Amino acid sequence: MPSIDKVIEIQESIIQADSAFILIPAELLWIIIGIYSLMDIIKNKKTISSSGFIMRGIFFLFTLTLVVLSSIHIMKADFLMNEKQWKVDYLEPYMNGLPENKTYVQDFTQILEIHKDHNKKIKSIYFNNNVKPIWVELVLLDKNNASKTISVQTIIKKEPIEEPYLTYKSINKDISKDYTKKAYYETILHIPEEYKVLVPVK
C-alpha cells in the first residue's frame, strides 16, 4: 500500500505536468527573446553606452533565469502519469488499505432533498461509478456518549443485524481538492433487513 505522502506527491507531479504544458510555448518564446537580446548585445557592444550595455545585460540575465526556472519545472513534471492511472495505481490501493471506521446509529432519516440548513453535511466518495448514494440524517453517539446529528451521503445495505451502524473510511490529510479529510469514503449504512427505505432514482 502506498503512503499518503506518495499519493500526494504523484498527484502534485500530475498538476505540475499540466502547468508544464502551458510553460513550454512560453519558454520557447523567452528563448527566442534571449537569443535576440544576446545578439543585440554582441552586435552593438561598441556603439551602446555603458549604462545601455548594463541594462541589456540585466535583461538578458533575467531572460536566462526565466528559461532555467521553466526548464527545471518542466523536467520535474511526470508526463507519463495521468489522473486516471494515478487513481488506479496509487489512490485506490491506498484507500483499500485504510482501516474501516464503524459507528453505531441511534436513529436515521432518509433525506429526499438536501438543504443548506441540514446538520453537518458530509459528502461520500466511491470508486465504483455505478454506486448511487442517498442523503441520510443520522443520530450518532460521539466519544463522550453524547448524541450528535449529521447528514451524510451513503449507500444502504440490508443485513441480518439488530442495530444499524455506519462504516466508512477517512483520511487525515487532504490529497487534492476533490479528496479531502472532510469527506467520507466508501460509506455504507448497514440496517436490519426489515427496515424500509426508498430506492434512489436516476
Side-chain angles (χ1 to χ4, degrees):
M1 179 182 87
S3 68
I4 191 168
D5 292 324
K6 186 66 178 176
V7 175
I8 294 169
E9 180 189 329
I10 301 299
Q11 168 66 9
E12 287 173 350
S13 73
I14 293 168
I15 295 168
Q16 280 184 340
D18 290 341
S19 62
F21 275 119
I22 300 167
L23 280 178
I24 291 170
E27 183 180 24
L28 291 173
L29 179 64
W30 280 111
I31 288 171
I32 292 167
I33 292 169
I35 291 169
Y36 178 81
S37 175
L38 182 62
M39 287 174 65
D40 181 56
I41 291 170
I42 293 168
K43 185 179 177 182
N44 299 310
K45 65 180 178 181
K46 293 181 179 178
T47 57
I48 57 176
S49 64
S50 57
S51 61
F53 183 80
I54 291 168
M55 290 301 293
R56 283 177 168 88
I58 290 170
F59 180 75
F60 174 73
L61 288 173
F62 171 75
T63 306
L64 187 64
T65 303
L66 282 178
V67 170
V68 169
L69 291 174
S70 296
S71 297
I72 291 169
H73 187 78
I74 290 166
M75 286 188 292
K76 279 184 178 180
D78 184 2
F79 294 103
L80 300 175
M81 182 68 66
N82 59 36
E83 191 84 11
K84 187 177 179 181
Q85 190 179 349
W86 167 74
K87 284 182 184 177
V88 172
D89 294 348
Y90 291 91
L91 183 62
E92 288 186 36
Y94 169 72
M95 289 293 183
N96 289 336
L98 288 176
E100 199 171 58
N101 299 306
K102 181 177 179 180
T103 306
Y104 281 97
V105 175
Q106 286 187 309
D107 192 17
F108 72 91
T109 307
Q110 189 173 350
I111 303 170
L112 299 181
E113 190 177 352
I114 193 78
H115 299 288
K116 288 181 180 178
D117 60 348
H118 275 105
N119 291 291
K120 186 182 176 185
K121 291 181 288 188
I122 302 171
K123 184 181 176 184
S124 293
I125 295 173
Y126 300 86
F127 294 104
N128 180 352
N129 293 328
N130 296 322
V131 169
K132 294 176 177 62
I134 60 172
W135 282 98
V136 176
E137 190 169 74
L138 303 175
V139 180
L140 310 170
L141 283 177
D142 64 17
K143 293 177 182 178
N144 301 317
N145 282 332
S147 291
K148 67 173 183 176
T149 304
I150 63 168
S151 299
V152 65
Q153 265 185 321
T154 183
I155 59 172
I156 294 180
K157 194 173 180 182
K158 290 189 174 185
E159 296 176 351
I161 55 175
E162 292 184 6
E163 294 181 36
Y165 64 91
L166 187 75
T167 57
Y168 62 94
K169 294 183 178 184
S170 58
I171 55 177
N172 56 15
K173 192 187 289 188
D174 290 347
I175 293 174
S176 70
K177 62 182 179 63
D178 296 317
Y179 302 98
T180 69
K181 59 187 178 184
K182 291 180 180 178
Y184 282 177
Y185 299 86
E186 305 296 324
T187 312
I188 303 172
L189 176 60
H190 306 260
I191 64 171
E193 290 175 324
E194 65 270 16
Y195 281 28
K196 290 182 180 180
V197 292
L198 293 174
V199 178
V201 292
K202 291 183 181 179

